[in-house]
Amino acid sequence: MAKANNDVVITGVGIVTCQGVGAAAHVEILGGARAPALKIETERFAPYPVHPMPDIDWNQQIPKRGDQRQMENWQRLGVFTAGLALDDAGFKDDAEACGTMDMIVAAGGGERDIAVDSLIVDEGLKRNDRERLLNEKLTTELRPTLFLAQLSNLLAGNISIVHKVTGSSRTFMGEEAAGISAIETAFHRIRSDQSTHTLVGSALVAERQDVILLYEAIGAHATGGWTPLWSRDEKAGGGIVTGTAAAFLVLESRAHAEARGARIYATIDAIGGDRGPRDEGRLEARLERLADGAAAGAGTVVFSGASGQHGVTAREKAWLDTRFSGSPVRGFSAVTGQALEAQFPLGLAIAALTLGADVKVAPFDTTAEAAMTAAAKSAVVTTVGHARGEGVAILSAEK
Amino acid sequence: MTKAAYRDHLGRPIVAVTGMGVITSLGQGLKDNWTALVGGVSGIHGITRFPVDGLNTRISGTVDFIELPVENPVERSYAYARETADEALAQAGLSGDFGGPLFLAAPPIEPDWRDRFALADRAPPSQRPGDAYDRFLAVLREKAEPALHEAWAFGAISERLADRFGTRGLPVTLSTACASGATAIQLGVEAIRQGRTDRALTIGTDGSVTAEALIRFALLSALSTQNDPPTKASKPFSKDRDGFVIAEGAATLVLESLESAVARGAKVLGILKGCGEKADHFHRTRSSPDGGPAIATIRAALEDAGIDESGIGYINAHGTSTPENDKMEYLSMSTVFGDTLANIPVSSNKSMIGHTLTAAGAVEAVFSIQTMLTGTLPPTINYTNPDPAIVLDVVPNVKRDARVSAVLSNSFGFGGQNASLVMTAEPA
């Protein structure tokens, strides 16, 4: 594809998964001779396996203890990873660039106080005036700061405070689709000169019972031990293994990036999202339309965000095997876990690092994924939401 | 009209408003709301939805007249959005699949306590303190409850709206706190300017007044505690203002490229001329003391609209009635408009409808357009004790007839959120 000034290029990647912290660590993992070792926590949230947060030194990106205290882990993880992306793009201490930088964050809600919630429902079991009980307990037990730690738009708010990103600040909500729309919106704004540089991303802390609860309302979370993504145990829960993960990208117009001599990981050629009923081949028809224009074959690597959920994961795999016949597929939830709002940004981060570093990614699942014979020239990222929403992005290498 | 007439000063498609719908505590529909609003009627009342025993704030602007299948904030927020979208699409003369994107400002709703209590009732007994979620999960492993998933998933409201109105693509559900309604409109304007669509459905809705929401805002000392009488509590720009009054509502605006609106013979109600935003890094709940980000936001909106300060005939203020907001908003307006501010009427709808939070930017955009359409400025009521540090023509207590051709509407929120819209009358 011919290069254009308003191409949307990725110039910064912030990434945290159970596998490690930062772009360099993940390039090493992606370029390794074999898939990274499984990092899974099966005890703390038993019977639910989750990919845990790696060791993080918050001070590296959130220097003020006061700021750290104002947040819980979800916001800390997002703010930390946003800082990694800014660092990686060379914008970290560039007040002018951050002051004009746009921002779109895909967010869920922050941590509830499980102890207070438990206290209230336990007391409620003994009383028949539950509404009055609520007033009593919430008034005395809720910490004012926790409200702010729970508010969806306060992840972005904290990024503004800690990293001084203040061009604009928008928060999108709605599970996987929020992550898709966030990048899609940033892409179109840059394409049409409404923005020159945008920070976009998301974070999920999976090690939260209030997050697992959402999946379990439709019986979607896997139980027991970890089983391979493409062949999850049908008898052990709903198939999804969640993972604590965060991904932020710095997107720029090519003109903006080149003017400052920025390193370009990859260009986003196309991106789209859609939704609707999934029966009778409608899911596959939408994916087909969203993937329009993507080349198949050995030069294209597919980073599938398949969650492991029974049913749709097998359907996505079958569609990929046909549409991207000859392209190696990597189901990244196998090594990171599924990251809800952060899933699509995470896929783009992994794709950008892979294309930027020119690496061959070893199969994450040798029984279901083929080896890469050469480094890829282009990448396709998919995300199929656990309840709704699908997104596809097509990226090409810079060189 | 020539093609050039459909483009703005930067060569972008001009964005028209062709349909509006609104619900507030004053009533359902633009007609009833407007009658009450220009009549200086307050919709603020004592809370009856839940007991208020022991609470310092016992008043709100809840919407209590919409029928719901189940009582919870998701159903409320959906129902308000649906009703206003029905009204707006009817006014726009659109039926069948909408065929453009949906941008929905919706509150970040926490799971409802009734659901937690219901799960606890069915759960095995507690084994140790703090294990309620282990028990909830045990109940759901036994039997999934898809209705709970839809009550907890943030994408559930826009999903239902997308199905009902046949919008295109992935709907965007957004939150920029109390600026959300304005951000939804801004996203719609941007999409049309990008040439990705000829029309966009933009909705702000908030049906999230619950005990927990009220208590959370109260713990931040954000709410008025002047409960008696409720109608007098919200008093923007007054000396004795002591916080906002939490409220509910929704508004829908059908946005369309002017060219497409004219081509199909739609009535143009107003023009969404410019949008501005700027985030604040000062504090989680407080604005920069110098008003810098709010000033930059207003200036960005004027610049985007291609209008200078002298072009604005009326300002629909954020005007929450908190000590901090009104002071900061005045500082930012006086910095941008200088001496001419004295000649610009500035009123706050929140004196009558309270703070509709996520919906406020959209509700107030509808009222801004209606101000131009009717030539009537809604008043700021309860203005009997002016704050001497805020020298404004607030259209005190009684509506005023005035032809206005350009309106600025401000929205500011927690988390450093600032957004302003410039709307103009239909081009002659």
Side-chain angles (χ1 to χ4, degrees), chain B residues 148-164:
Chain B
L148 282 182
H149 184 275
E150 292 309 281
W152 295 340
F154 284 145
I157 297 174
S158 63
E159 174 83 356
R160 290 164 73 180
L161 294 170
D163 277 336
R164 181 180 174 96

Side-chain angles (χ1 to χ4, degrees), chain B residues 33-45:
Chain B
N33 267 279
W34 191 249
T35 302
L37 204 72
V38 296
V41 175
S42 170
I44 308 306
H45 49 261

Side-chain angles (χ1 to χ4, degrees), chain A residues 4-49:
Chain A
N5 279 337
N6 67 343
D7 282 349
V8 180
V9 298
I10 300 173
T11 58
V13 175
I15 179 170
V16 174
T17 70
C18 64
Q19 300 291 341
V21 172
H26 282 85
V27 166
E28 198 169 310
I29 289 159
L30 291 165
R34 60 186 68 82
L38 179 66
K39 302 269 171 48
I40 195 80
E41 166 66 61
T42 54
E43 300 296 319
R44 269 164 58 215
F45 299 93
Y48 304 105

Side-chain angles (χ1 to χ4, degrees), chain B residues 195-271:
Chain B
R196 293 164 67 196
T197 182
D198 286 334
R199 62 177 69 145
L201 193 59
T202 61
I203 307 178
T205 187
D206 204 317
S208 71
V209 175
T210 60
E212 181 168 335
L214 186 79
I215 290 166
R216 285 166 161 223
F217 279 113
L219 287 171
L220 294 173
S221 307
L223 301 180
S224 173
T225 57
Q226 298 178 12
N227 295 295
D228 193 21
T231 54
K232 303 276 188 210
S234 185
K235 44 173 77 83
F237 308 116
S238 290
K239 193 177 177 188
D240 51 346
R241 67 187 186 275
D242 72 330
F244 71 79
V245 174
I246 195 169
E248 296 182 327
T252 295
L253 291 91
V254 176
L255 303 184
E256 243 176 304
S257 73
L258 180 63
E259 184 168 7
S260 127
V262 170
R264 70 177 185 90
K267 179 172 166 51
V268 173
L269 307 172
I271 301 297

Side-chain angles (χ1 to χ4, degrees), chain A residues 97-176:
Chain A
C98 288
T100 54
M101 184 179 289
D102 293 303
M103 168 165 54
I104 308 178
V105 173
E111 287 86 345
R112 288 199 63 90
D113 189 328
I114 301 284
V116 171
D117 285 356
S118 296
L119 182 90
I120 294 173
V121 297
D122 288 344
E123 187 73 17
L125 287 171
K126 301 175 217 153
R127 289 173 52 169
N128 56 14
D129 60 341
R130 288 173 170 177
E131 291 187 308
R132 283 183 177 78
L133 166 75
L134 265 186
N135 291 358
E136 277 168 41
K137 293 294 178 192
L138 290 174
T139 305
T140 52
E141 303 290 339
L142 273 188
R143 284 177 288 139
T145 53
L146 193 67
F147 175 24
L148 298 175
Q150 280 178 289
L151 268 183
S152 299
N153 76 304
L154 260 290
L155 169 46
N158 278 294
I159 292 172
S160 291
I161 289 169
V162 173
H163 303 307
K164 316 300 177 201
V165 174
T166 57
S168 65
S169 167
R170 301 175 186 177
T171 295
F172 288 3
M173 305 186 301
E175 296 71 46
E176 294 89 346

